Amino acid sequence: MAKSRFEYVRTYEQDGMLLPNTYIVIRLDGRGFHRFADRYHFGKPNDKRALCLMNAAAKQVMGQIPDIAGAYGQSDEYSFVLRRECRLFDRREAKLVSTFASTFTAHYQFLWPQYFPQRVLDGNMLPTFDARAVLYPSLREVRDYFSWRQADCHINNLYNTAFWTLVLTGDLSQHDAEQALMGTNSGDKNELLFGRFGINYNNEDAMFRKGTMLVRDVGSSSESAESRDEPEPEPEPEQHEKSKRQVEREEKKRRKAEIVEMHVDIIGDEFWKNSARWIS
Amino acid sequence: MAKSRFEYVRTYEQDGMLLPNTYIVIRLDGRGFHRFADRYHFGKPNDKRALCLMNAAAKQVMGQIPDIAGAYGQSDEYSFVLRRECRLFDRREAKLVSTFASTFTAHYQFLWPQYFPQRVLDGNMLPTFDARAVLYPSLREVRDYFSWRQADCHINNLYNTAFWTLVLTGDLSQHDAEQALMGTNSGDKNELLFGRFGINYNNEDAMFRKGTMLVRDVGSSSESAESRDEPEPEPEPEQHEKSKRQVEREEKKRRKAEIVEMHVDIIGDEFWKNSARWIS
Amino acid sequence: MAKSRFEYVRTYEQDGMLLPNTYIVIRLDGRGFHRFADRYHFGKPNDKRALCLMNAAAKQVMGQIPDIAGAYGQSDEYSFVLRRECRLFDRREAKLVSTFASTFTAHYQFLWPQYFPQRVLDGNMLPTFDARAVLYPSLREVRDYFSWRQADCHINNLYNTAFWTLVLTGDLSQHDAEQALMGTNSGDKNELLFGRFGINYNNEDAMFRKGTMLVRDVGSSSESAESRDEPEPEPEPEQHEKSKRQVEREEKKRRKAEIVEMHVDIIGDEFWKNSARWIS
Amino acid sequence: MAKSRFEYVRTYEQDGMLLPNTYIVIRLDGRGFHRFADRYHFGKPNDKRALCLMNAAAKQVMGQIPDIAGAYGQSDEYSFVLRRECRLFDRREAKLVSTFASTFTAHYQFLWPQYFPQRVLDGNMLPTFDARAVLYPSLREVRDYFSWRQADCHINNLYNTAFWTLVLTGDLSQHDAEQALMGTNSGDKNELLFGRFGINYNNEDAMFRKGTMLVRDVGSSSESAESRDEPEPEPEPEQHEKSKRQVEREEKKRRKAEIVEMHVDIIGDEFWKNSARWIS
C-alpha cells in the first residue's frame, strides 16, 4: 500500500545514541542576545531581573526532567548535567538537545512578564536558545567543566564591571574604556575599580561574580554522605545493580527533591565535598 | 592562568557536521500533544485553529531562516527542508535541531493568543517540540520523504474522521468505534462515512486531508523553469560555481520571496513540476 | 593553483574522534573463517596450531602498540583493550580499526608458515579480518566485556566438543549429532561427554575452554599493588596530572614490559585483583 | 544464564552506518612507508615494481568486492570508490575500512615475492595500511576527489624527479638539492630537468606522472553510452527501481567485468565522458 512505498526514507535516519554510563552536559546559549539585551534595555553590566529569569526558566526545566542532577548559569547561557545512568529518550542526541532548547525557550517566554512586566515581547525579536551536548566519562571532568564556565564568568564579569564603570561613572566613551583596559590583568582591574571609583569588586552581587549553581538536593544517601575525602569509587554501569523498582523509587525521590540555588565558588574543593548528595 | 587549566574539557566536544551538499530535512514533533490537545480542548478529529497556528509558526521560522526551501506540516508535526548548499551553523546537527525547536516553540507560544484568545496557557503545560535531522542526497528522496508524511496524514485523518464521526454523530463509545473500524481499508471507511452519515470524505477541508505545504517562491529562474520533464541535472557542489556576491544576491532573493501555502496532493508528479522554483 | 581547486573535497571528511578518557576495545573477527578452516583442514573442534597462530599475531600487535593494555582471543576473534588515556591517532576511529586489522593480518600471514609449514596459503583464500571499536567509560564494563567473550567461548566450545565427539568418536552424522544436542544444557553436555565417552570436559586443554588472555605486565606500581579490595578510584583525565616526560617514561615502561599469556577464568574476581598492574 | 548477564556491553556499540545513496570513497595509506621504502631499497624517485605491486593488490581487492566501481593509486596510497547503491556490510564504516585495509594488506604481502623475489620480508617491518572513508553525494565530487589525488601525484612526482635527478645525476647533497628547488614552480622544475639534464619530464613513465586508474568495464549500458555531453540525471535511490533479481544480475555482470588499468589524465573531461560505463 501507499505508505510502504515511501517508508524507505526512514532508513536514512541515524540513531545518534550518546555513549551509555557517561555524564551528559547540555549547554544552552541565547541566540543573538547582544542585540536582544539592547532591544529590551537590559541593565549594564548585569541585569539582575534577566539573570533571575534565566534561573527561573532553568528551575522549570529541572522540575520537568528529573534526570538533571544540577545546572550552572551565567550571562545568557545555562549548562545542565544529566546523571550518568540517564536513559532519557534512549540518550538520542538530537532529541535531547532539541527538547532542552524548546523547554527552556517555552518557560523563558512564559515567565518573561513576571520579570519584565513593562516590556512587552516583540514577535520580531523573541528569545531563543541553541543547545549542544558533551559527554564526560568521570566526575572529575564534570567538575572541571563547571569550573571552566565559572572561570569564564569571572573573567567576563570583572571586565564588564570595569568597562561599564568607566563608561557610566567615569564618563569615558566605549572606545576609550576599551583602550584603558587593554592589557590589564585581574589585579589591575580590581585596583582600577577600587582606586578610581571606590568599588570593592568582591562586594558586588555574588550572582554576578559567581553565576548561579542549581543542585537537586536528593538528601544524604546513607553510605556516601560523610566520606568525601577519599577518591570516589568508579560508578558501576546500571545494569549491574538496580531493579526496575529501585530505579522508579529513585526517580520519584529526585522528582520530589528540592532544587537549591547557590552563588558560590565551585572551583575549589569545598563545593564538591557534598556532590554525592546531588550528582550520583 | 585559571582559564586554561580547565579548558581541556572543550576537546570532548564532537563537531557533528552534517555531510555537505545534501538536503537536510528537520522534523519537529509536538511533545505530549495528545495530552496537550485534551488540556486545551482541541476540536476532534481536527482543530482548524491549532493547525493554522502550526502553519503560522512555521512561516515565522521560514521567514527567519532563508535556507529553508519548503516545509510540510500535519497534525502536531512540521518538516523543513534546507537547500543542499545550506551552510547554516556550519551544518552542525545539534545547533540546527536545537535552533529550529527553540524558534518554532517561541513563535508558537507567542502566536497562541491570536488563535486561542480564550484559552490562557498554563505554565505547567506549555507547548514544546523536539526535532531531528535527516540527510537526503537527491531530490527524489526529498520528494519521497514529503510523500511519506502526506500518506501518513491521509491514513491518520481518514481513520480519525471515521472514528470521531462514529463517536460524535453515531453515538458509539470510543471502544465500539475502535472495534467497528478494525480491519477496514480506505474504501470501507469512505463508504461508512458516506453510507451511514452522508459524508463525502473528499469534501472535507483540504487542510485536514492533505496537510499544509509551504514553499518559498523564488520565482522562475531563467534556465530551469520550463523544462521540468527531463531528468534534473545532478546539482554541483557549491564550490564549483558561485562567487560570494552571487551567494549573497541569492540569499537576499530568498529573504524577499513570498511564502506560498498550499493544501494539495504532493505525491503525484504535478506538484513537483515546478519544484525548481523553490528547492534548487 | 590546480591543487586548491579540488581540495574542497577534504571538507567532506568527518573526524570521527572517539570520546577521550574512555577505554577503547577493538575486536577483530576472521572473515569467512568457517570456509577458511575447511580449506586449510583445521582440526575439529579446535585446532591448536590455529589458536597459537592467533595468539602469536596478537602478541606482535601488542608489541607494536604500547597503548594496548591487554587482549583476549578465542576461536577466530581477538579483542584488544587500549588504556583510557590512549591518544593514538588522535583516537580517530577509522584509523584505529583499519590499522589494527591491517597489522594483525600482516603478522598472521607472515607467521603462517611457522604454524602450518605443510599448508601453503592460496591467493584465492587469504586470511583477512574486520574490526570494530567500542567505548567503555569504566573498568567494570571492560571486565564485563571480557567476561562476555569468555562466556561465549565456554558455551561454543562445550557445544563443539560434544558435537564433534558425537561425530568423530560416536560415528553420528552431523545432522544426528545436532539433533542429539538440541535442548541440552551445560550439565547435560558434560554428562554426555563423560557418560558415553569417558571425557571429563574440565580436563580439556585450558586454551580451548578458557581462551587466551594477554596482559602487559608493567609491574607493581607503588600505590596500587596490594589494596585491590577497595573500590577503584575514578581515573582522572590525563590533563590533570602528567608531564610530557612522565608520559614518555610510562610509554617506555610499557614497551619493555613482558606480555604474559594466560588460560584462566577471567569472569571471577581473582583475575581482576591485579588488574591495576596492567590496565591502569 | 551466564551469557545474558554480560551481554549489556553490546549496547555500547554504535552502528556507524554511512548515509545511503552516496558514493563511498575509501583511501588506503601505507603506514610508515618512508622507512619501509628505505628498508627494502625502493628505487628513487619511483620504484616501478613497488607501484606495480600496489596495482596488483588493488586489482585483487576489486576482484573480491564487486561494489568497487573504480580505484586510483599513486605512491603508497590507493583510493577505491564504491557505487552509490552499495550496501556492503550495511554500509557500516568500521567494517568497511577495516576489511579494505585487511584485504589489501593480505594481497600486498602475498604478492610481494613476485615483485621483489630477492628481498625477503622482515617480520619487524611488514607492509601495513590504514584506511578512511569519505562520502560524496554527487559524481561531480567523486571526479574532483580523483582530480585532487592526481594533482597531488603530479606535484609530488615532479618535485621528486627534479630532486633525485639533482642528487643522483647532479651529485648535489640532499640538502643542496632541497635548497635548489625552494620556491620553484612547475615551469622552473621542467626547465631545470631539461636544461641541465636533457630530461623531458613529459617523457617520463606515465605511471609515475599520472598514477594508475583502475575501472571495472561493465560495458556500454544501452541508454547511457553516447550522450555524455548533457548533464547526468540525478541517480535515483535504489528502492525505487530494482527487483532483487535485477540487483543480482547486475552484480554478476560486475563480477565478470574486466578491470582496466590506465595511466591517463583524469582531471580533464575526456576521461569522464565514458564514466557511466563503470561508475553508475
Side-chain angles (χ1 to χ4, degrees):
Chain A
M1 105 168 168
K3 201 175 176 185
S4 60
R5 195 172 112 226
F6 304 122
E7 218 156 0
Y8 77 91
V9 296
R10 297 185 70 175
T11 62
Y12 289 56
E13 289 190 27
Q14 308 268 357
D15 72 354
M17 177 199 69
L18 298 172
L19 186 67
N21 200 28
T22 50
Y23 296 101
I24 302 172
V25 170
I26 296 177
R27 180 166 78 250
L28 303 182
D29 274 294
R31 301 194 58 235
F33 257 52
H34 229 80
R35 280 179 59 220
F36 183 83
D38 285 347
R39 171 70 183 75
Y40 295 105
H41 311 296
F42 281 10
K44 298 290 185 186
N46 288 287
D47 187 306
K48 186 144 189 173
R49 292 157 308 170
L51 293 175
C52 289
L53 172 50
M54 288 291 286
N55 295 340
K59 279 180 207 164
Q60 290 294 326
V61 173
M62 277 184 80
Q64 282 186 16
I65 303 178
D67 274 316
I68 302 173
Y72 174 77
Q74 56 126 331
S75 182
D76 63 344
E77 72 170 50
Y78 236 99
S79 300
F80 298 87
V81 58
L82 281 68
R83 301 162 54 251
R84 58 193 299 166
E85 292 175 0
C86 164
R87 300 213 168 152
L88 187 62
F89 308 139
D90 292 326
R91 299 175 74 90
R92 276 183 293 145
E93 183 175 10
K95 187 126 184 171
L96 283 164
V97 297
S98 60
T99 297
F100 270 68
S102 174
T103 307
F104 193 91
T105 301
H107 287 288
Y108 190 96
Q109 183 179 145
F110 185 79
L111 294 167
W112 176 270
Q114 289 181 31
Y115 292 83
F116 293 97
Q118 320 296 352
R119 315 232 177 112
V120 177
L121 281 173
D122 166 1
N124 290 316
M125 194 167 289
L126 296 177
T128 58
F129 299 84
D130 62 43
R132 79 192 68 198
V134 196
L135 295 180
Y136 293 114
S138 76
L139 189 54
R140 177 78 242 177
E141 290 142 331
V142 171
R143 176 176 165 175
D144 288 346
Y145 173 84
F146 283 117
S147 297
W148 173 50
R149 299 322 302 145
Q150 188 170 66
D152 186 84
C153 172
H154 170 71
I155 288 160
N156 291 333
N157 191 62
L158 179 55
Y159 181 91
N160 291 337
T161 303
F163 178 86
W164 286 105
T165 302
L166 286 169
V167 171
L168 299 176
T169 312
D171 270 337
L172 263 63
S173 72
Q174 296 200 16
H175 178 263
D176 290 348
E178 210 181 312
Q179 293 294 318
L181 293 173
M182 201 165 282
T184 60
N185 62 20
S186 294
D188 300 335
K189 294 193 194 75
N190 272 302
E191 216 146 286
L192 179 149
L193 283 167
F194 193 70
R196 284 176 58 180
F197 302 96
I199 293 172
N200 184 340
Y201 180 71
N202 289 323
N203 294 340
E204 294 291 294
D205 193 323
M207 190 196 284
F208 301 164
R209 289 182 294 113
K210 299 296 181 191
T212 300
M213 187 79 208
L214 303 176
V215 300
R216 190 187 303 277
D217 192 358
V218 184
S220 49
S221 48
S222 49
E223 85 287 3
S224 58
E226 28 244 88
S227 55
R228 288 298 90 196
D229 287 343
E230 355 169 333
E232 185 162 15
E234 185 174 75
E236 308 266 304
E238 189 176 350
Q239 291 81 349
H240 262 268
E241 22 201 277
K242 293 181 186 167
S243 64
K244 204 186 161 191
R245 202 170 140 189
Q246 194 183 347
V247 168
E248 282 166 4
R249 208 182 320 123
E250 289 180 10
E251 184 177 320
K252 199 174 162 188
K253 204 174 165 191
R254 284 195 299 275
R255 274 197 189 280
K256 293 194 308 185
E258 197 192 350
I259 296 170
V260 181
E261 180 176 330
M262 287 173 281
H263 310 286
V264 298
D265 178 82
I266 58 173
I267 296 179
D269 290 336
E270 185 62 26
F271 172 77
W272 295 92
K273 271 191 185 156
N274 294 308
S275 60
R277 288 171 67 100
W278 55 276
I279 205 168
S280 59
Chain B
M1 110 169 162
K3 201 175 173 184
S4 58
R5 194 171 112 226
F6 306 122
E7 217 156 0
Y8 78 91
V9 296
R10 297 185 70 175
T11 62
Y12 289 57
E13 289 190 28
Q14 309 268 356
D15 72 354
M17 177 200 71
L18 297 172
L19 186 68
N21 201 28
T22 50
Y23 296 100
I24 301 172
V25 170
I26 295 177
R27 179 165 78 250
L28 303 181
D29 273 295
R31 301 195 57 235
F33 258 53
H34 229 79
R35 280 179 60 219
F36 183 84
D38 285 347
R39 171 69 183 76
Y40 295 104
H41 311 296
F42 282 10
K44 296 292 187 184
N46 289 287
D47 186 306
K48 186 144 191 173
R49 292 156 308 169
L51 293 175
C52 288
L53 171 51
M54 290 290 288
N55 295 340
K59 278 180 205 163
Q60 291 294 326
V61 174
M62 278 184 79
Q64 282 186 16
I65 303 177
D67 274 316
I68 302 172
Y72 174 77
Q74 55 123 336
S75 183
D76 63 344
E77 71 168 53
Y78 236 99
S79 300
F80 298 87
V81 58
L82 281 71
R83 301 162 53 253
R84 56 194 300 165
E85 291 175 3
C86 164
R87 300 209 170 159
L88 187 60
F89 308 139
D90 291 326
R91 299 175 74 91
R92 277 184 292 145
E93 183 175 10
K95 187 126 184 172
L96 283 164
V97 296
S98 59
T99 298
F100 271 69
S102 174
T103 308
F104 193 90
T105 300
H107 287 289
Y108 189 97
Q109 184 180 145
F110 186 80
L111 294 167
W112 176 270
Q114 289 181 31
Y115 291 84
F116 293 98
Q118 320 295 351
R119 314 230 177 114
V120 177
L121 281 173
D122 166 2
N124 292 313
M125 195 168 285
L126 296 177
T128 57
F129 299 84
D130 63 43
R132 77 193 69 198
V134 195
L135 296 180
Y136 294 112
S138 75
L139 189 53
R140 177 78 243 177
E141 290 143 330
V142 172
R143 175 174 166 177
D144 287 346
Y145 174 84
F146 283 117
S147 297
W148 173 50
R149 299 321 302 147
Q150 190 170 66
D152 186 84
C153 173
H154 170 71
I155 287 160
N156 290 333
N157 192 61
L158 179 54
Y159 181 91
N160 290 338
T161 303
F163 178 86
W164 286 105
T165 302
L166 286 169
V167 171
L168 299 176
T169 313
D171 272 335
L172 264 60
S173 71
Q174 295 200 18
H175 178 265
D176 290 348
E178 209 181 311
Q179 292 295 318
L181 293 173
M182 199 165 282
T184 59
N185 62 19
S186 294
D188 299 335
K189 293 193 194 73
N190 272 304
E191 215 144 288
L192 179 149
L193 282 167
F194 193 69
R196 284 175 58 179
F197 302 96
I199 293 171
N200 184 341
Y201 180 71
N202 288 324
N203 294 340
E204 293 293 295
D205 193 322
M207 188 196 286
F208 301 164
R209 288 182 295 113
K210 299 296 181 192
T212 299
M213 188 80 209
L214 302 175
V215 300
R216 191 187 301 279
D217 192 0
V218 185
S220 48
S221 49
S222 49
E223 84 286 5
S224 58
E226 31 242 86
S227 56
R228 288 298 89 194
D229 288 344
E230 354 170 333
E232 184 163 13
E234 186 174 75
E236 308 265 307
E238 189 177 348
Q239 291 81 347
H240 261 271
E241 24 202 278
K242 292 181 186 168
S243 65
K244 204 186 160 189
R245 200 168 142 192
Q246 194 182 347
V247 168
E248 283 166 4
R249 208 182 320 123
E250 288 181 10
E251 186 178 316
K252 199 174 162 190
K253 204 173 166 190
R254 283 196 299 276
R255 275 197 187 280
K256 294 194 308 186
E258 195 191 352
I259 296 171
V260 181
E261 179 176 332
M262 287 173 280
H263 310 286
V264 299
D265 178 83
I266 58 174
I267 296 179
D269 290 337
E270 185 62 25
F271 172 77
W272 295 91
K273 270 191 185 158
N274 294 309
S275 59
R277 289 172 65 100
W278 56 276
I279 207 169
S280 60
Chain C
M1 120 169 155
K3 204 177 174 180
S4 59
R5 194 172 111 226
F6 305 123
E7 219 157 0
Y8 78 91
V9 296
R10 295 185 72 174
T11 63
Y12 288 56
E13 289 190 28
Q14 309 267 357
D15 72 354
M17 177 199 71
L18 297 172
L19 185 67
N21 199 28
T22 50
Y23 296 101
I24 302 172
V25 171
I26 296 177
R27 180 165 79 248
L28 304 180
D29 274 294
R31 300 194 57 235
F33 258 52
H34 228 82
R35 280 179 59 218
F36 183 84
D38 284 347
R39 172 67 184 78
Y40 294 106
H41 312 296
F42 281 9
K44 298 292 185 184
N46 288 286
D47 187 306
K48 185 143 191 174
R49 294 157 306 173
L51 292 175
C52 289
L53 172 50
M54 290 290 288
N55 295 339
K59 280 180 205 164
Q60 291 294 326
V61 173
M62 277 184 80
Q64 283 186 15
I65 303 178
D67 274 316
I68 302 173
Y72 174 77
Q74 57 124 332
S75 184
D76 62 343
E77 71 169 51
Y78 237 100
S79 300
F80 298 87
V81 58
L82 282 69
R83 300 162 55 251
R84 56 193 299 165
E85 292 175 1
C86 165
R87 301 213 169 154
L88 187 61
F89 308 139
D90 292 325
R91 299 176 74 91
R92 276 183 294 144
E93 183 174 12
K95 188 124 183 173
L96 283 165
V97 296
S98 60
T99 297
F100 270 70
S102 174
T103 307
F104 193 91
T105 301
H107 287 288
Y108 189 98
Q109 184 180 144
F110 186 79
L111 294 166
W112 175 271
Q114 289 181 32
Y115 291 82
F116 293 99
Q118 319 296 350
R119 313 227 178 118
V120 177
L121 281 173
D122 167 1
N124 291 315
M125 195 168 287
L126 296 177
T128 58
F129 299 85
D130 63 44
R132 80 192 68 197
V134 195
L135 295 180
Y136 294 113
S138 76
L139 189 53
R140 178 77 244 179
E141 291 143 330
V142 172
R143 177 176 164 175
D144 288 346
Y145 174 85
F146 283 118
S147 297
W148 173 49
R149 298 323 302 145
Q150 188 170 68
D152 185 85
C153 172
H154 170 71
I155 287 161
N156 290 333
N157 192 61
L158 178 55
Y159 181 92
N160 290 338
T161 303
F163 178 87
W164 287 105
T165 303
L166 286 170
V167 170
L168 300 176
T169 313
D171 272 336
L172 264 60
S173 72
Q174 296 200 17
H175 177 264
D176 290 348
E178 210 181 310
Q179 292 295 319
L181 293 173
M182 200 163 282
T184 58
N185 63 19
S186 293
D188 300 335
K189 294 193 193 74
N190 271 304
E191 215 145 286
L192 179 150
L193 283 167
F194 193 70
R196 283 172 60 179
F197 302 97
I199 294 172
N200 183 338
Y201 179 71
N202 289 324
N203 294 338
E204 294 292 294
D205 193 323
M207 188 195 286
F208 301 164
R209 289 182 294 115
K210 300 295 182 192
T212 300
M213 188 79 209
L214 303 176
V215 301
R216 189 186 302 276
D217 192 359
V218 184
S220 48
S221 49
S222 48
E223 84 289 1
S224 57
E226 29 241 87
S227 55
R228 288 298 90 196
D229 289 343
E230 353 165 337
E232 184 163 13
E234 186 173 75
E236 307 265 304
E238 190 176 350
Q239 290 80 348
H240 263 267
E241 24 202 279
K242 292 180 186 168
S243 65
K244 203 185 164 192
R245 200 167 144 193
Q246 193 183 348
V247 168
E248 281 166 5
R249 207 182 321 123
E250 288 180 10
E251 183 178 319
K252 200 174 163 190
K253 204 173 166 191
R254 284 196 298 275
R255 276 198 187 280
K256 293 194 309 185
E258 197 192 349
I259 296 171
V260 180
E261 179 175 331
M262 286 173 281
H263 311 286
V264 299
D265 178 83
I266 58 174
I267 296 179
D269 291 337
E270 185 62 26
F271 172 77
W272 295 92
K273 272 191 186 158
N274 295 307
S275 59
R277 289 172 66 99
W278 56 276
I279 206 169
S280 59
Chain D
M1 117 171 158
K3 203 177 174 182
S4 58
R5 195 171 111 226
F6 305 121
E7 219 157 0
Y8 79 90
V9 297
R10 298 185 70 175
T11 62
Y12 289 56
E13 290 190 27
Q14 309 267 359
D15 73 353
M17 177 199 71
L18 298 171
L19 186 67
N21 200 29
T22 50
Y23 296 101
I24 301 171
V25 170
I26 295 176
R27 179 164 80 250
L28 304 181
D29 274 294
R31 300 195 56 235
F33 258 53
H34 230 80
R35 280 178 60 218
F36 183 84
D38 285 347
R39 171 68 184 77
Y40 295 106
H41 312 295
F42 282 9
K44 297 292 186 183
N46 289 286
D47 187 306
K48 184 142 192 174
R49 292 157 309 170
L51 293 174
C52 289
L53 171 50
M54 289 290 287
N55 294 340
K59 279 180 205 163
Q60 290 293 326
V61 173
M62 279 184 79
Q64 282 185 18
I65 302 178
D67 274 315
I68 302 171
Y72 174 76
Q74 56 125 333
S75 183
D76 63 343
E77 72 169 52
Y78 236 99
S79 300
F80 298 88
V81 58
L82 281 69
R83 301 162 53 251
R84 59 191 300 165
E85 291 175 2
C86 165
R87 301 212 168 153
L88 188 60
F89 308 138
D90 292 325
R91 300 176 74 90
R92 276 184 293 145
E93 183 175 11
K95 187 126 184 172
L96 283 165
V97 297
S98 60
T99 297
F100 270 69
S102 174
T103 307
F104 193 91
T105 301
H107 287 288
Y108 189 97
Q109 183 178 146
F110 186 79
L111 294 166
W112 175 271
Q114 289 180 31
Y115 292 83
F116 292 99
Q118 318 297 351
R119 314 229 177 115
V120 177
L121 281 173
D122 167 1
N124 291 314
M125 196 169 285
L126 296 177
T128 57
F129 300 84
D130 62 43
R132 80 191 68 197
V134 196
L135 295 181
Y136 294 112
S138 76
L139 190 52
R140 176 77 245 177
E141 291 144 330
V142 172
R143 177 175 164 176
D144 288 345
Y145 174 84
F146 283 117
S147 297
W148 173 51
R149 300 321 303 146
Q150 189 168 69
D152 185 84
C153 173
H154 169 71
I155 287 160
N156 290 334
N157 192 62
L158 179 55
Y159 181 91
N160 291 337
T161 303
F163 178 87
W164 287 105
T165 302
L166 286 169
V167 171
L168 299 175
T169 312
D171 272 336
L172 263 60
S173 71
Q174 294 200 18
H175 177 265
D176 290 348
E178 213 182 308
Q179 293 295 320
L181 293 173
M182 200 164 282
T184 58
N185 63 18
S186 293
D188 299 334
K189 293 192 193 76
N190 271 304
E191 216 146 285
L192 178 150
L193 283 167
F194 193 69
R196 283 173 60 180
F197 302 97
I199 293 172
N200 183 339
Y201 180 71
N202 288 324
N203 293 340
E204 294 293 293
D205 193 322
M207 188 196 286
F208 301 163
R209 289 182 294 113
K210 300 295 181 192
T212 299
M213 187 79 208
L214 302 176
V215 300
R216 191 187 300 279
D217 192 358
V218 184
S220 48
S221 49
S222 48
E223 84 287 3
S224 58
E226 32 241 87
S227 55
R228 286 299 89 194
D229 288 344
E230 352 166 337
E232 184 162 13
E234 185 175 76
E236 308 265 307
E238 189 176 351
Q239 290 80 347
H240 261 269
E241 23 201 279
K242 292 180 187 169
S243 65
K244 203 185 161 193
R245 201 168 143 191
Q246 195 183 347
V247 168
E248 282 166 5
R249 208 183 319 123
E250 288 180 10
E251 183 176 321
K252 199 173 163 189
K253 205 175 166 191
R254 283 195 300 275
R255 276 198 186 280
K256 294 194 308 185
E258 198 191 350
I259 296 170
V260 181
E261 179 176 331
M262 288 173 282
H263 310 285
V264 298
D265 178 83
I266 59 173
I267 295 178
D269 290 337
E270 185 62 26
F271 172 77
W272 295 92
K273 273 191 183 157
N274 294 307
S275 61
R277 289 171 65 99
W278 56 276
I279 205 170
S280 58

